[in-house]
Amino acid sequence: MENGFINPNQIWTPEVIEEIQEKAELGRYRIRGMGRAHRVPNFDDLVVVPAGLTRIPLEGYRERCETRTVLGTRHATQPIVLDIPITIAGMSFGALSLPAKRALGFAATQMGTSTTTGDGGMHPEERQSSKTLVYQYLPARYGQSPYDMKRAEAVEIVVSQGAKPGAGGLLLGYKISSDIAQMRDLPPGVDQRSPVRHPDWMGPDDLVIKIEEIREITEWRIPIYVKIGASRVYEDVTLAAKAGADVVVVDGMEGGTAASVEIQTEHTGIPTLAAVVEAHAALRDLGLEDDVQLIISGGIRSGVDAAKALALGATAVSVGTATLLAMGCNDPRYAEDFHKLGTAPYYCHACHTGKCPVGITTQDPVLTARLDVDEAAERIANFLYAMTLEIQTVARSCGKSNVHHLDATDLRSLTLEASLITGIPLVGQGRRNLHDEPERVLEPIMRDLG
């Protein structure tokens, strides 16, 4: 057109204009669920380098590849022993419906792994459905109970979460049903905003006291986790480990949420790929990498993501959003209801509205009735099983008989960004690194060969 009136503008894009106009209409910031929408450096920027002549790959149909995972070996007299290196992340009853929480518990039990409570405490049916349940201890203290702590297999002290580090939780009033209000000692239908920090401690010295307090309550039986949203990861992991944590959970910026201010989800924190590297470096520099287990979460989508995280130093990964998708989130069967929310199947992030068409992130009894607990649990278990097979496939191809033997030498970077972040050689640079640091590269190979 003459004068270029419809030429694309790189600053004032249609998306920017829409956002400004929406804020002008609402008179507040945008809120949404799910997680980060824009790409950041991630596990797709790494590739696995399977065995050739330097190692012998394992046969998938007759050579075992161990997946057993032990968490909490540092101080607890009863560490958690899992069949797989995948746990289910904390998601509250409130953010999720009760059928969804029960399905997560049944699936975790079927797969020999753990699930985690979330803000608002432990629901009796969640406890009943979960053989191994991690009890979250959060700043809000909603529903917190020493009695429930004693009934858990681990306690996770939540400092922050990856989707919104440095910010508190948010549960909008239309999701505060009478059951949730009773558990959290709040009036029904009123927005709940959780504090950004614990009320009785202001720093790492107080964290030491808090960990000891919980150990006393639980009689030193169960592991104490500390969960941190990825921001100043190296320093935070160092402080958590020095404070006495048995397990450190680091949640990258791709982590999900039921509701968050959009700018926090998109613009705060650091990617999971960078978080695992910094966290592992902190434990290694303390000499605690064999004593304090590291769980990585935030946008883990598949077994290959998990395998790469293990190779970078994680003991296990934790999945949240992926399990919701497995049980039916964004199911196209309810396309009409998605359209009423102004979205569509495969694009929905309206978890905060309380109108989840598939019955997962809602407390509406009509909608929650759509989620069949048994079917949802079976789908989650199938997904976790598929992830486990994928991790084993990667490990076997690298000649590893245990998924925990994967290490950084099993990877190459596809991009300069990923190489700078992880220290993993860029593809095509392996020979130079072998020449420069032969002991570092050959040591794990010789170890696997016995």
Side-chain angles (χ1 to χ4, degrees), residues 271-282:
T272 303
L273 178 68
V276 63
V277 175
E278 285 197 48
H280 180 246

Side-chain angles (χ1 to χ4, degrees), residues 164-181:
K164 43 189 174 183
L170 174 62
L171 189 64
L172 298 180
Y174 30 74
K175 293 179 78 171
I176 310 282
S177 66
S178 58
D179 286 348
I180 293 164

